[in-house]
Amino acid sequence: MSCAQMVLEVVGLRAEFAGAGAATTVVNDVDLVLHQAERLGIVGESGSGKTALALSILGLLDPPGRVTGGRVELGDVALSELDDRSLARVRGSRISYIHQDPLTALNPVRKVGRQIRDVLDRHTGLTREEKRRRIRDLLLELGFSDPVGIESRYPHELSGGMRQRIAIAMAVVARPDVIVADEPTTALDVRTQAEVLAMLDRVAEHHRTATVLISHNIDVVGSFCDTIAVMYAGRIVESGPAAEVISAPRHPYTRALLDAVPSLTTDRSQPLREIGSALRSEDRTAAGCTFRARCPVGRDRPDCREHRPHLDGGSHAWACHHPLSILAERTAR
Ligand SMILES: Nc1ncnc2c1ncn2[C@@H]1O[C@H](COP(=O)(O)OP(=O)(O)OP(=O)(O)O)[C@@H](O)[C@H]1O
Ligand SMILES: [Mg+2]
């Protein structure tokens, strides 16, 4: 991956939500790097800040949320410096966002073929015929056997899986360098989830598009992505090659996510089984490790209470004073 061109760089990104009292920092000093055709998975339980991070990257975070620091570079474009008009031009053409719920992204009163064409009208100078051909080819690639028939349908006439594939079509049709897919399959049944991910995988592969896949399910992320960033309370607490993070997690939170891979019947608003209780707001601002109160390892250790661990290491990095030992992991399993 290292020789591939870097397409997205996020440095020290911070975002907060203003509330009645003090603002809550929900994205805290996040660094990410993404190369051409690379797949990066962002994983963390509900409320960890995955969507806030995605929206901050794309300049889509609305009040009461706001980005308070850091920068986002999309190749040679400093995204975080752009005004709204320039941002709107870049979104869809160079970076695009796939929303968790495709109905939000689709216009209910416009035929889906028109909606995909709108993206091309806005972002490309293709001729009518080139647009027609590109849309047909893409719909075929996304598994629609009758693209012409599909183009003349309205969103409500399609199944959930079909709508999500149309949302993918809109996100990729102008051939962006980067797609950010925020839990693109959670609203779907298991088989459809797998199909939609396979389609996203195929299209990304074909066009060498870099993908950020956001999910609460570390197994999903592990099977799709090259690298994983684990998010807890707005911070990346572990990151590295997917296979390594999954087979030899060093942060106790990553371990807990792996132990609690949700089945499709799990209510994901529930706290993780193994470590109980959800994140408390005071943990976000505590001096030490944000995970400490829930941590089976560091709960009572003074260093964990007093010093915030930084994300250290090489390509596999973790923010933990007492990382799990790889050896112990292997023998314990
Ligand atoms: N509109 C809002 N106003 C105030 N706080 C918000 C708002 N949206 C999100 N938050 C808070 O920001 C934090 C991060 O939320 P975010 O939606 O990014 O989490 P997430 O990891 O995407 O969760 P999920 O897996 O449920 O989608 C949470 O503490 C949440 O309560
Ligand atoms: Mg979310």
Side-chain angles (χ1 to χ4, degrees):
M1 254 333 133
S2 57
C3 53
Q5 190 190 342
M6 193 196 289
V7 290
L8 180 72
E9 187 180 20
V10 173
V11 183
L13 195 61
R14 296 173 72 91
E16 62 180 31
F17 278 107
T24 309
T25 301
V26 294
V27 176
N28 207 334
D29 213 7
V30 169
D31 297 337
L32 297 172
V33 168
L34 192 65
H35 298 93
Q36 186 181 35
E38 189 179 10
R39 288 104 193 270
L40 165 69
I42 297 180
V43 68
E45 68 198 310
S46 187
S48 55
K50 306 179 300 291
T51 297
L53 171 60
L55 297 176
S56 301
I57 291 173
L58 285 129
L60 286 170
L61 192 65
D62 288 325
R66 77 189 177 101
V67 173
T68 53
R71 58 190 171 83
V72 179
E73 317 248 348
L74 186 68
D76 54 352
V77 179
L79 265 194
S80 42
E81 308 283 309
L82 297 182
D83 58 31
D84 288 350
R85 262 188 66 183
S86 317
L87 255 180
R89 247 194 326 264
V90 170
R91 267 196 313 262
S93 63
R94 299 200 46 190
I95 185 166
S96 54
Y97 182 58
I98 300 177
H99 199 278
Q100 175 164 358
D101 173 10
L103 278 183
T104 319
L106 300 177
N107 182 337
V109 296
R110 213 164 161 74
K111 291 177 179 170
V112 299
R114 289 297 297 269
Q115 297 192 51
I116 304 173
R117 190 143 31 102
D118 288 343
V119 179
L120 290 179
D121 290 345
R122 216 174 306 133
H123 295 297
T124 69
L126 298 178
T127 66
R128 215 182 144 76
E129 180 53 28
E130 286 166 336
K131 286 179 206 162
R132 201 184 61 83
R133 209 172 316 130
R134 186 181 293 189
I135 294 169
R136 298 279 149 85
D137 291 348
L138 180 57
L139 290 175
L140 281 173
E141 208 178 331
L142 284 164
F144 291 104
S145 51
D146 173 23
V148 183
I150 287 296
E151 282 180 60
S152 61
R153 306 274 205 93
Y154 290 94
H156 73 266
E157 298 176 300
L158 305 177
S159 70
M162 286 168 142
R163 284 200 287 257
Q164 193 55 289
R165 282 186 279 152
I166 295 296
I168 292 174
M170 287 172 66
V172 303
V173 72
R175 311 231 169 115
D177 301 323
V178 179
I179 311 171
V180 180
D182 191 355
E183 310 246 21
T185 61
T186 35
L188 309 173
D189 64 69
V190 195
R191 200 169 62 91
T192 317
Q193 281 191 6
E195 279 169 13
V196 167
L197 272 185
M199 295 299 170
L200 183 59
D201 191 59
R202 190 193 306 172
V203 173
E205 177 81 35
H206 184 187
H207 298 290
R208 298 195 43 77
T209 315
T211 312
V212 179
L213 178 70
I214 292 174
S215 176
H216 60 280
N217 186 324
I218 194 167
D219 265 3
V220 167
V221 159
S223 60
F224 183 87
C225 295
D226 307 302
T227 52
I228 294 184
V230 179
M231 204 166 177
Y232 186 76
R235 295 172 195 274
I236 306 296
V237 296
E238 180 159 7
S239 67
E244 225 176 288
V245 171
I246 284 189
S247 64
R250 307 304 302 274
H251 199 290
Y253 178 61
T254 311
R255 171 84 267 164
L257 283 179
L258 282 163
D259 288 343
V261 165
S263 71
L264 287 141
T265 52
T266 311
D267 174 357
R268 44 189 215 93
S269 62
Q270 290 300 306
L272 295 178
R273 205 167 46 237
E274 308 300 322
I275 48 175
S277 69
L279 169 73
R280 302 167 313 174
S281 59
E282 61 264 36
D283 296 332
R284 290 183 187 272
T285 49
C289 174
T290 29
F291 185 58
R292 188 179 65 91
R294 302 171 72 188
C295 183
V297 181
R299 196 170 291 148
D300 303 314
R301 296 190 191 235
D303 49 351
C304 302
R305 187 169 55 239
E306 283 151 27
H307 306 289
R308 167 149 313 131
H310 294 290
L311 193 64
D312 287 326
S315 66
H316 184 183
W318 48 88
C320 180
H321 295 309
H322 303 281
L324 303 168
S325 109
I326 301 174
L327 211 62
E329 277 302 297
R330 289 221 174 105
T331 47
R333 300 214 99 199

